[in-house]
């Protein structure tokens, strides 16, 4: 993520009755924590994961504007 250390979280609900998954990336920049998340049904998330990863890879911070 723009050369910064980031954490990825992948949570899947263990209850088969509640078919939801959360993917999130957390990165610190200029003293703030930035959160990027995607939440949805497990099958939908699997189809959207490549797009989410592309979004994360495209993020750039403007160092001049901190």
């Amino acid at each position: 993520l723009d050369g910064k250390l980031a954490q990825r979280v992948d949570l899947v609900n263990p209850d088969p009755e509640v078919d939801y998954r959360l993917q999130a990336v957390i990165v610190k920049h200029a003293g703030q924590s930035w959160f990027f998340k995607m939440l949805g049904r497990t099958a939908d998330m699997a189809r959207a994961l490549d797009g989410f990863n592309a979004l994360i890879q495209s993020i750039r911070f403007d160092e001049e504007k901190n």
Side-chain angles (χ1 to χ4, degrees):
L1 188 73
D2 200 19
K4 299 184 183 317
L5 183 62
Q7 295 179 340
R8 181 179 285 264
V9 177
D10 184 5
L11 301 174
V12 179
N13 193 322
D15 182 350
E17 299 286 322
V18 183
D19 180 34
Y20 275 89
R21 180 178 181 182
L22 169 79
Q23 283 267 333
V25 174
I26 307 160
V27 63
K28 287 194 174 211
H29 171 71
Q32 297 181 336
S33 294
W34 289 74
F35 294 82
F36 304 91
K37 71 176 185 175
M38 180 172 68
L39 173 69
R41 296 192 182 278
T42 303
D44 296 336
M45 293 285 289
R47 287 190 298 273
L49 190 56
D50 286 342
F52 181 70
N53 289 334
L55 168 71
I56 297 303
Q57 293 299 317
S58 73
I59 295 168
R60 300 290 178 262
F61 291 100
D62 187 345
E63 295 297 330
E64 294 179 14
K65 294 188 179 178
N66 288 334

